Amino acid sequence: MRSDIMQAGMLADALARQAVAVCRYYLASGRKQGRYWICGDVHGNPGRSLFVRISGRRAGKWCDAATGEYGDLIDLIMLNRGLALRDALAEARHFLRMPRLPEPPVTYSHENPDVYDPVAAARRLFAASVPITGTLVERYLDSRGIHLMQDHTALRFHPKCSYRNETGFEVWPAMIAAVTGLDGVITGIHRTWLDPQTCGKAPVAQPRRALGQLLGHAVRFGQVGDIAIAAEGLETALTLKLLFPNLPVLAALSAAHLGALILPDSLQRLYVARDNDPAGWRAFNRLRSRHIDRDIRALVPRLDDFNADLVTFGPDPVRHWIVRQLLPEDVPQFVSCSQPARCRHASGYGSA
């Protein structure tokens, strides 16, 4: 068994050096997007929940945002083919001996300005966007029951944001959210393309996409102290910020990223507004297992997520529902939040 484990590590490294070829063979319905191969699941079905890193030091690592599963390419082959470890090792050795056309290397450089840098591209796009006051973003959020009452400088509006489809590019307005690390530096962005006619999401295959480095980071609303709220989605986070405006809220942007959040040392208690599905439970449990020194507690919505609750039931019933799930000593800090003046959006955000 120990020999199998040693072989698994060596074969996983060899597969990682040919990560794109592995993905083309075992996940043929997927496609390359930046540093990742994206498809629906480990069986290669169409979709966007499985992310396989195809370049860099983490090449070959994968995570399924829908199930919370993750691993290396040996794990992927085991699940894809329904094999035990020893049979998966034999399958990997067979794959590595197969002839194939060479793949062009996927490289990124921070020194060569002619090479695409997704983090730099994310910062440029955010800098090129404008405050959301009076824009389509406000109308979109209003349609989701989110009437902003604070200075949310993490959000901006881009009137003509390029969207890559299967044949080229099209242009739509977009809500741009800044993803930052603990130091406040932008590491990526999240884009939600919008339809100016309906004030809803644009009629494209994937109206939400991220750019840059998201793992461990978040869209941040407020400065984290000893207590905070974390959520999967952006609209859920904004719902919580609307209901409890004086508390800091973090948007991880997916279940997988919620489980991987990096928490500041100052944070002692975190309420996790998870989505009401198995992926939400797995993300919550993973986050709690990674931070056993913190008090991490779940907030559970009535419907799919807290934004769905807000749209269906209104703010006061949702606020009361959440308060019932709090520790008694935290209730005053939540319910005594004063309502600040209508938002005044600044033109800058952090350091880049």
Side-chain angles (χ1 to χ4, degrees):
M1 183 65 181
R2 184 176 180 181
S3 174
D4 286 346
I5 294 174
M6 292 177 63
Q7 286 188 50
M10 291 186 294
L11 288 170
D13 290 342
L15 292 169
R17 290 191 288 271
Q18 301 183 37
V20 176
V22 174
C23 292
R24 289 193 190 281
Y25 186 75
Y26 292 99
L27 307 172
S29 70
R31 60 188 177 82
K32 285 198 294 186
Q33 183 173 316
R35 300 186 185 200
Y36 295 91
W37 186 273
I38 300 175
C39 69
D41 54 35
V42 294
H43 304 292
N45 293 313
R48 283 188 51 79
S49 67
L50 181 73
F51 295 79
V52 184
R53 187 67 177 260
I54 59 176
S55 67
R57 63 181 182 85
R58 291 187 58 79
K61 302 298 184 182
W62 59 270
C63 179
D64 190 328
T67 67
E69 294 175 307
Y70 59 93
D72 60 23
L73 292 177
I74 294 294
D75 300 313
L76 182 67
I77 290 174
M78 289 175 64
L79 294 168
N80 182 271
R81 293 294 195 253
L83 301 173
L85 175 60
R86 186 159 295 180
D87 295 328
L89 298 180
E91 170 74 17
R93 286 191 291 269
H94 172 72
F95 173 84
L96 290 167
R97 289 193 297 267
M98 291 172 57
R100 63 186 62 85
L101 294 174
E103 289 284 346
V106 181
T107 59
Y108 297 89
S109 169
H110 294 286
E111 298 177 357
N112 185 350
D114 296 327
V115 176
Y116 179 69
D117 181 340
V119 175
R123 292 170 178 170
R124 286 195 299 269
L125 187 57
F126 191 79
S129 303
V130 299
I132 68 171
T133 304
T135 70
L136 180 59
V137 171
E138 276 200 330
R139 298 196 295 275
Y140 166 70
L141 294 177
D142 282 348
S143 74
R144 302 292 296 264
I146 302 168
H147 312 295
L148 295 180
M149 301 295 290
Q150 284 192 335
D151 178 8
H152 290 306
T153 53
L155 298 180
R156 285 192 178 182
F157 172 64
H158 197 295
K160 295 181 179 180
C161 187
S162 295
Y163 173 85
R164 183 195 294 271
N165 57 31
E166 294 182 356
T167 59
F169 290 91
E170 48 190 298
V171 174
W172 293 91
M175 177 171 64
I176 311 294
V179 178
T180 61
L182 296 179
D183 55 4
V185 174
I186 294 176
T187 64
I189 58 168
H190 183 269
R191 296 158 292 181
T192 304
W193 280 273
L194 304 174
D195 185 344
Q197 300 301 318
T198 65
C199 296
K201 296 186 188 70
V204 295
Q206 300 154 20
R208 301 175 186 270
R209 285 181 182 170
L211 176 65
Q213 297 177 1
L214 272 67
L215 194 65
H217 308 311
V219 182
R220 302 171 192 275
F221 303 102
Q223 186 68 35
V224 175
D226 61 347
I227 187 169
I229 310 173
E232 287 185 38
L234 190 57
E235 284 81 4
T236 297
L238 288 168
T239 296
L240 272 295
K241 192 63 178 173
L242 170 73
L243 299 176
F244 306 106
N246 286 355
L247 288 172
V249 181
L250 312 175
L253 302 176
S254 75
H257 288 106
L258 178 63
L261 270 180
I262 299 171
L263 304 180
D265 293 338
S266 63
L267 183 65
Q268 297 303 312
R269 183 173 296 133
L270 180 69
Y271 286 96
V272 179
R274 66 168 187 81
D275 287 1
N276 206 0
D277 55 22
W281 268 121
R282 282 189 290 268
F284 168 73
N285 288 327
R286 184 185 175 205
L287 183 63
R288 188 166 58 175
S289 68
R290 288 179 53 245
H291 297 283
I292 58 175
D293 58 330
R294 316 296 178 90
D295 185 8
I296 298 180
R297 299 171 178 268
L299 299 176
V300 184
R302 296 184 185 182
L303 303 178
D304 292 340
D305 57 52
F306 281 108
N307 187 245
D309 284 6
L310 177 68
V311 172
T312 304
F313 305 116
D316 286 339
V318 179
R319 188 182 292 109
H320 294 155
W321 174 258
I322 292 172
V323 167
R324 290 168 55 186
Q325 302 179 55
L326 303 176
L327 288 175
E329 58 264 36
D330 290 339
V331 171
Q333 190 167 350
F334 275 71
V335 301
S336 65
C337 296
S338 60
Q339 294 295 324
R342 187 72 179 176
C343 59
R344 297 184 302 276
H345 297 281
S347 60
Y349 184 82
S351 57

